[in-house]
Amino acid sequence: LRRCVRLLLSPVRLLARLGLRDSFCTKVFPCLTAKVAPICNRKVYQQKQKPFSNWRKFAGPSGQLTLLEIGTGTGTNFQFYPPGCRLTCTDPNPNFRKFLLGSLSENQHLKLEHLVVASGEDLHQIPDGAVDAVVCALVLCSVTNIKKVLTEVLRVLRLGGAFYFLEHVAADHSSWTYFWQKVCDPVWKYFGDGCSLSRETQQELEKTNFSELNLRCIHVTPSWIPTSPHIIGYAVK
């Protein structure tokens, strides 16, 4: 089945080799995300509220939270951030900027300090130990190298800071969901801007040198879709 899917993708793969697909996706994907993100957010709203409610626990001595979001996209998570927090947003796609600024205008309780065009694997613009919290939501599924991203997260976090995450992940390997994840992965990556359905993100988090890992598995409805299995929680440096 995967070979059949790859064969059907041959025209798209040809466009990718010619460099036409990336240019198209860079411009179209932010528009598509702006439409889909609010729908996805409503599905996980209650699940997000619980882990995203203990921000003050990780605020600095002044009581003000310095927060970095990796792969901010359209700014869907802004509504969960505490008033007055100092926010740095990063995304490798500059075409998300207008959507992000639109979300920011609707969340005036936030203070945007920096807007950086950068991938999660290379955050050299952010100094070591500069932030109290890092947020990554539905991003690790599409990065090139999860290990590099998590290494950067540890670097920019101050000691005792927290990394908040929400990611769709690989299903149980004996399940039909995992079977269809593996079948659909090739086409999903092409049309999902590199997103993989079968990332073993939990294993990568467990291997990273966090002092504490709070994680739980959830399923987003409808349960039959290949992106249904999720993990959510936070890890402490």
Side-chain angles (χ1 to χ4, degrees):
L1 283 173
R2 290 190 72 186
R3 288 177 180 176
C4 290
V5 171
R6 289 182 183 276
L7 182 62
L8 292 172
L9 279 175
S10 296
V12 181
R13 294 170 71 182
L14 177 60
L15 290 174
R17 290 189 178 185
L18 294 174
L20 299 176
R21 172 191 163 274
D22 289 344
S23 176
F24 176 77
C25 285
T26 299
K27 295 177 182 178
V28 173
F29 193 70
C31 299
L32 180 62
T33 303
K35 299 290 185 182
V36 175
I39 300 172
C40 296
N41 198 51
R42 284 196 293 271
K43 290 184 177 182
V44 295
Y45 185 84
Q46 290 185 339
Q47 289 92 335
K48 276 186 179 181
Q49 278 188 313
K50 187 174 181 180
F52 286 9
S53 64
N54 64 344
W55 298 110
R56 294 303 177 190
K57 178 180 178 181
F58 301 104
S62 66
Q64 190 174 40
L65 187 77
T66 302
L67 191 149
L68 165 68
E69 182 169 359
I70 299 174
T72 308
T74 60
T76 307
N77 296 311
F78 288 171
Q79 60 188 300
F80 297 101
Y81 299 158
C85 79
R86 299 162 55 193
L87 181 63
T88 296
C89 297
T90 71
D91 202 287
N93 189 340
N95 292 302
F96 273 114
R97 180 184 175 89
K98 66 177 181 179
F99 300 106
L100 186 152
L101 294 178
S103 294
L104 196 66
S105 68
E106 298 172 0
N107 293 274
Q108 297 188 8
H109 63 288
L110 302 178
K111 178 182 178 182
L112 179 65
E113 291 203 330
H114 304 288
L115 180 54
V116 182
V117 177
S119 67
E121 291 91 341
D122 183 11
L123 301 173
H124 66 271
Q125 300 97 323
I126 314 298
D128 296 1
V131 298
D132 301 311
V134 177
V135 175
C136 204
L138 302 180
V139 171
L140 296 178
C141 56
S142 58
V143 299
T144 304
N145 190 312
I146 295 182
K147 184 177 179 180
K148 283 186 177 180
V149 175
L150 295 178
T151 299
E152 282 289 80
V153 168
L154 280 175
R155 181 185 65 79
V156 302
L157 272 176
R158 65 167 177 80
L159 187 63
F163 172 54
Y164 290 82
F165 54 86
L166 168 67
E167 299 290 339
H168 69 79
V169 294
D172 183 277
H173 288 199
S174 63
S175 68
W176 278 107
T177 301
Y178 184 72
F179 171 80
W180 287 112
Q181 284 180 334
K182 299 303 288 185
V183 170
C184 298
D185 233 357
V187 66
W188 198 272
K189 286 179 181 178
Y190 271 103
F191 294 102
D193 200 25
C195 175
S196 172
L197 291 168
S198 54
R199 284 275 170 93
E200 303 285 354
T201 306
Q202 180 172 342
Q203 293 181 13
E204 294 297 331
L205 285 165
E206 290 169 349
K207 290 188 292 186
T208 305
N209 192 28
F210 289 110
S211 64
E212 180 185 339
L213 178 61
N214 299 276
L215 176 151
R216 64 191 181 97
C217 300
I218 61 173
H219 282 80
V220 176
T221 56
S223 58
W224 54 265
I225 60 174
T227 55
S228 177
H230 280 60
I231 57 171
I232 187 169
Y234 66 94
V236 182
K237 179 177 177 179

